[in-house]
Amino acid sequence: MDFLPPPELALPISYEARAQAVALYCDAIVRMHWGERLINKIFGRAMQSHAAGRIVVQHYRWKEEGAERPTLALLQRHASRGTRTLASFVAVLRLTGMVAAEADPGDRRVRYLVPQERLIAGLRAWIAHHLRCCEALGLLGAGHADRLADDAFFSAFVSRAGTILDQAALHRGRFGGWSWFDERDGGGRVAMLLLRDHFKANPVEGSPPAAFPLRARELAEGLGLSHSHVRSLLKDATEAGHLAHDAGRAQVRLTPRFLDEATSWLLHFLSWFADAAHAARRAG
C-alpha cells in the first residue's frame, strides 16, 4: 500500500501482542453496539458519529475556553459533505434525548445544542476503550483510561479531542479497505467485527492467515442491519479484494492488503487519541 504509518507508529511490539490489543479493542467497540438497534441506526455512518462528537467537543471547549457554543450552523461549517442531512440527524438526537436545544437569550433564532448525559456517558465509555488500546500498544502509559472517571480530566480531554475529528476528516478515504467499509452504512462496525475475529483466529503470525466463521444473519441481527444489506456488503467487499467469503461454509478470510490498510488506520486513529490524552495531562 502507498500510505504507511508514520515512523513514530512503528512500535516495538510483537505481532502477538498487537493482535491481542486489536482484538480486545474491536471486541469492546462491537460489544457497545451489539444488540443496540437504535444506537446503530442513529450512528450508522461515520459522519453521524463525528457530528455528535463535535457537539460534545465544542460544548466542553465553550465551558473550558469560552469557545463558540455548538449549533447546527457550526456542524455544517465543519462538515465536508452531507450538510443537508445534519438537520435531520440533530432532530433525531433531540428526539432521543441525547441533545437538548437552548435558545440564545439575545437572539431566539439561535439554538445551542447541549449534549445530555446519555450522549456524554456513551462517549466517555467509547473514549475509554480507545485509551486502553493505546496503553496496550505502548502509545500511552497505564492509567489514562481510568482517569476518565475524573470529570476534570474528562473535560480536559474532550475539549482537546477536536483534533481527532479534524485528523479523521483530513485523512478520509486514505486507508483503502478500511475507508471502503467505513463509508457504508454499518460498515465500520462490520469491519471491526471482522478484525476482531481475524486476530482471535490468528493470534500467531502466519501465512496465509486462517479463515474464521462468519454467520451473516447473526451479524446482521446483532448490529441492527438487514440480512440483505450484510450479504451485499460481504459480496461487494469480496469483489473489491478486501476479503474472501465462502458463504456455503460460512467462513471468511481477510486479505493481507485489507489487514495492512485497516491496521494503518487503527494506529493513526489511536495516535490521535494518545496526542489528546497527553495534551489533557499537560493541562492538568
Side-chain angles (χ1 to χ4, degrees):
M1 71 185 283
D2 59 2
F3 188 65
L4 298 175
E8 63 268 26
L9 293 183
L11 302 172
I13 185 171
S14 67
Y15 171 89
E16 290 76 11
R18 184 173 298 188
Q20 183 179 36
V22 173
L24 288 173
Y25 164 77
C26 291
D27 184 61
I29 300 302
V30 169
R31 285 179 182 274
M32 284 188 70
H33 297 90
W34 196 259
E36 297 289 345
R37 183 173 293 272
L38 178 61
I39 296 299
N40 284 306
K41 188 68 175 177
I42 296 174
F43 301 109
R45 291 179 178 266
M47 179 276 291
Q48 297 160 319
S49 297
H50 292 178
R54 183 73 67 180
I55 292 171
V56 182
V57 166
Q58 201 66 26
H59 177 76
Y60 276 87
R61 285 194 62 213
W62 165 66
K63 290 173 63 176
E64 289 232 341
E65 311 165 12
E68 180 182 0
R69 293 186 69 178
T71 61
L72 175 59
L74 181 144
L75 295 182
Q76 291 172 330
R77 289 203 305 272
H78 280 282
S80 60
R81 57 182 179 176
T83 56
R84 292 184 179 181
T85 65
L86 279 172
S88 298
F89 175 62
V90 169
V92 170
L93 291 180
R94 291 180 60 186
L95 183 65
T96 55
M98 295 187 185
V99 168
E102 180 182 314
D104 186 315
D107 185 349
R108 305 291 294 181
R109 294 171 299 177
V110 177
R111 297 276 177 167
Y112 299 120
L113 303 176
V114 184
Q116 301 298 290
E117 182 55 30
R118 184 181 183 187
L119 180 59
I120 293 171
L123 182 64
R124 194 189 299 256
W126 187 75
I127 293 170
H129 292 316
H130 289 73
L131 297 192
R132 288 192 185 97
C133 195
C134 287
E135 293 169 6
L137 290 170
L139 290 169
L140 284 176
H144 285 80
D146 291 338
R147 285 192 66 187
L148 289 171
D150 174 11
D151 287 339
F153 181 75
F154 177 73
S155 178
F157 180 93
V158 173
S159 64
R160 289 160 180 79
T163 56
I164 300 171
L165 299 173
D166 294 340
Q167 289 290 338
L170 179 65
H171 290 81
R172 181 179 291 120
R174 297 184 66 183
F175 294 100
W178 170 261
S179 299
W180 185 94
F181 273 95
D182 202 34
E183 290 171 357
R184 286 156 174 80
D185 190 28
R189 292 174 183 89
V190 171
M192 284 194 185
L193 186 144
L194 292 172
L195 286 170
R196 180 196 69 181
D197 291 354
H198 166 83
F199 283 112
K200 284 185 176 181
N202 294 271
V204 178
E205 191 169 16
S207 182
F212 53 91
L214 178 71
R215 295 173 177 82
R217 186 174 297 280
E218 179 182 328
L219 186 157
E221 291 175 355
L223 294 179
L225 303 169
S226 72
H227 188 207
S228 61
H229 175 69
V230 170
R231 287 201 317 269
S232 177
L233 185 66
L234 295 173
K235 177 177 178 293
D236 291 346
T238 301
E239 292 176 353
H242 306 313
L243 53 86
H245 180 220
D246 185 339
R249 295 184 178 181
Q251 286 190 328
V252 68
R253 178 184 287 110
L254 303 186
T255 64
R257 187 188 74 188
F258 173 73
L259 286 168
D260 285 346
E261 292 163 346
T263 302
S264 178
W265 160 77
L266 181 58
L267 291 176
H268 277 81
F269 197 50
L270 291 172
S271 77
W272 305 330
F273 276 81
D275 288 343
H278 286 308
R281 187 185 62 197
R282 289 193 297 268

